[in-house]
């Protein structure tokens, strides 16, 4: 019995020695498929990050924007707060290669504005709220318009209102109207790079956007930080300039933040952006210096 066991042990050792080169080769090949922390190599890219919502699928974005303005008036600093939450849904209606037509519906909006003395609030779902200051915004809710999107972002937008309708509407629609709401979302719908990327790669995008009643031009630089379980983690740094320097409100500044994007669909699962602004507000022939900070959050999910 001892002889049989020794012989068996000798055979095993001989097999290991004679095949050690093969074992090393197999082990090395396995390592090549992983990063240093054991994550599959594809987690390090390159990847194609694009708008790829599936045909007939429904998606939802919740945009939450908070802003605090501090104007200097007669030598005193005032604090004005502004918050807007917008819930909107997106559905791909037709697809032609990489080009898609997407039906967008504003489902609900809430607005709160205060100056430390009075607060104005509006909720489009609250039919008892007759606040005339924001009531026109309710006309934008539960209406659908179309956007044309390529794999790299928006290529065309259908307005809910034409120029004549806007000219006949009150100033609040101009402030929180269709154009402003679309511009507020543009920062998150026009984020995709024009080529494949891997961690460490950067790309740039420039466009006009809105934050409440402030209209601005953005020049964003994006960097793919990492890829984890099908999610691309992106950081951004941006320069902010006024969209029109002749307007009553002119702001410049910077923004920074992070965006997580589902690689398969292009859906932004979560985004957080902070803005720091300085500008001027002109009213009644007087110009006042203003500083502002803003926090913009976005949550996306498939319905």
């Amino acid at each position: 019995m001892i002889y049989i066991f020794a012989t068996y042990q000798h055979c095993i050792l001989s097999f290991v020695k004679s095949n050690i080169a093969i074992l090393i080769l197999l082990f090395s090949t396995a390592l090549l498929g992983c990063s240093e922390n054991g994550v599959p190599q594809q987690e390090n890219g390159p990847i194609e990050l694009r708008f790829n919502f599936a045909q007939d699928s429904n998606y939802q974005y919740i945009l939450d924007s908070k802003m605090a303005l501090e104007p200097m008036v007669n030598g005193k600093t005032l604090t004005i707060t502004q918050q807007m939450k917008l819930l909107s849904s997106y559905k791909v209606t037709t697809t032609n290669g990489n080009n898609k037509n997407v039906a967008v519906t504003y489902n609900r909006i809430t607005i709160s504005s205060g100056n430390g003395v009075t607060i104005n609030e509006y909720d489009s779902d609250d039919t008892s709220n007759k606040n005339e200051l924001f009531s026109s915004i309710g006309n934008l809710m539960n209406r659908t318009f179309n956007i044309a999107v390529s794999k790299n972002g928006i290529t065309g937008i259908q307005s809910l209102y034409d120029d004549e309708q806007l000219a006949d509407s009150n100033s609040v629609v101009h402030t929180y109207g269709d154009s402003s709401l679309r511009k507020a979302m543009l920062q998150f719908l026009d984020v995709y790079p024009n080529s494949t990327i891997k961690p460490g790669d950067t790309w740039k995008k420039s466009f006009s956007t809105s934050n409440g009643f402030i209209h601005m031009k953005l020049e964003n630089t994006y960097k793919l930080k990492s890829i984890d379980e099908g999610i691309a983690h992106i950081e951004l740094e941006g320069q902010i300039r006024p969209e029109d320097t002749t307007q009553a409100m002119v702001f410049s500044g910077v923004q920074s933040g992070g965006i997580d994007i589902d690689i398969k669909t292009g859906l932004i699962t979560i985004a957080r952006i902070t803005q720091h602004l300085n500008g001027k507000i002109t009213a009644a022939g007087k110009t006042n210096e203003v500083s502002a900070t803003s926090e913009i959050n976005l949550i996306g999910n498939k319905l």
Side-chain angles (χ1 to χ4, degrees):
M1 177 66 71
I2 295 175
Y3 174 79
I4 294 174
F5 177 78
T7 303
Y8 176 77
Q9 188 177 43
H10 174 74
C11 291
I12 292 296
L13 290 174
S14 298
F15 174 82
V16 171
K17 289 179 180 179
S18 63
N19 292 278
I20 191 167
I22 296 175
L23 293 173
I24 291 174
L25 178 62
L26 291 173
F27 184 71
S28 300
T29 302
L31 284 179
L32 286 174
C34 298
S35 62
E36 293 181 356
N37 59 5
V39 178
Q41 185 70 24
Q42 58 266 31
E43 292 289 280
N44 293 324
I47 61 169
E48 185 176 28
L49 198 60
R50 62 179 181 170
F51 182 92
N52 196 33
F53 285 11
Q55 176 78 33
D56 296 325
S57 294
N58 291 301
Y59 303 85
Q60 177 181 273
Y61 278 129
I62 301 175
L63 176 69
D64 186 354
S65 175
K66 302 175 183 178
M67 176 177 285
L69 297 106
E70 296 185 333
M72 289 289 296
V73 179
N74 297 325
K76 295 183 179 180
T77 300
L78 304 180
T79 300
I80 299 173
T81 58
Q82 190 92 31
Q83 181 171 7
M84 179 192 76
K85 290 185 179 181
L86 175 66
L87 187 153
S88 53
S89 59
Y90 296 74
K91 181 177 181 179
V92 177
T93 55
T94 60
T95 302
N96 183 13
N98 289 323
N99 299 311
K100 304 174 187 289
N101 288 321
V102 181
V104 181
T105 304
Y106 299 136
N107 304 115
R108 183 181 182 184
I109 189 171
T110 63
I111 300 172
S112 176
S113 179
N115 59 11
V117 178
T118 61
I119 297 177
N120 284 293
E121 296 180 331
Y122 177 76
D123 183 346
S124 61
D125 276 6
D126 183 4
T127 57
S128 65
N129 189 335
K130 304 300 182 181
N131 190 332
E132 294 297 325
L133 184 62
F134 299 115
S135 61
S136 296
I137 303 302
N139 295 328
L140 299 174
M141 298 301 108
N142 299 312
R143 298 182 62 183
T144 299
F145 65 96
N146 296 312
I147 59 175
V149 186
S150 72
K151 64 180 182 179
N152 301 128
I154 291 178
T155 58
I157 301 175
Q158 175 198 38
S159 177
L160 286 177
Y161 288 111
D162 57 31
D163 292 338
E164 182 178 351
Q165 287 174 308
L166 282 174
D168 292 339
S169 62
N170 63 43
S171 60
V172 176
V173 174
H174 288 283
T175 301
Y176 280 106
D178 178 34
S179 176
S180 294
L181 297 182
R182 285 186 284 112
K183 285 182 177 180
M185 283 301 303
L186 187 59
Q187 175 158 218
F188 302 104
L189 296 176
D190 200 19
V191 65
Y192 308 98
N194 296 325
S195 60
T196 57
I197 54 174
K198 61 183 182 300
D201 285 350
T202 62
W203 67 99
K204 294 183 178 182
K205 291 280 186 174
S206 299
F207 44 81
S208 295
T209 185
S210 292
N211 189 347
F213 47 77
I214 299 177
H215 304 290
M216 60 189 78
K217 288 184 178 180
L218 291 182
E219 295 179 357
N220 282 344
T221 298
Y222 306 88
K223 182 177 182 179
L224 178 60
K225 294 292 291 182
S226 62
I227 303 168
D228 181 31
E229 297 184 353
I231 300 295
H233 302 290
I234 298 165
E235 69 174 15
L236 72 87
E237 300 286 341
Q239 298 292 321
I240 302 172
R241 295 182 293 110
E243 184 179 53
D244 185 350
T245 57
T246 66
Q247 294 296 310
M249 290 175 285
V250 178
F251 285 85
S252 299
V254 296
Q255 70 171 15
S256 60
I259 301 175
D260 288 354
I261 300 181
D262 176 67
I263 297 172
K264 181 179 180 180
T265 63
L267 177 75
I268 295 177
T269 57
I270 190 168
R272 295 185 179 91
I273 297 175
T274 300
Q275 295 178 336
H276 297 280
L277 304 163
N278 288 288
K280 297 178 180 180
I281 295 179
T282 301
K286 294 183 179 181
T287 299
N288 296 304
E289 301 285 337
V290 184
S291 62
T293 57
S294 176
E295 296 289 337
I296 304 170
N297 296 298
L298 184 78
I299 297 175
N301 58 77
K302 185 177 182 296
L303 298 177

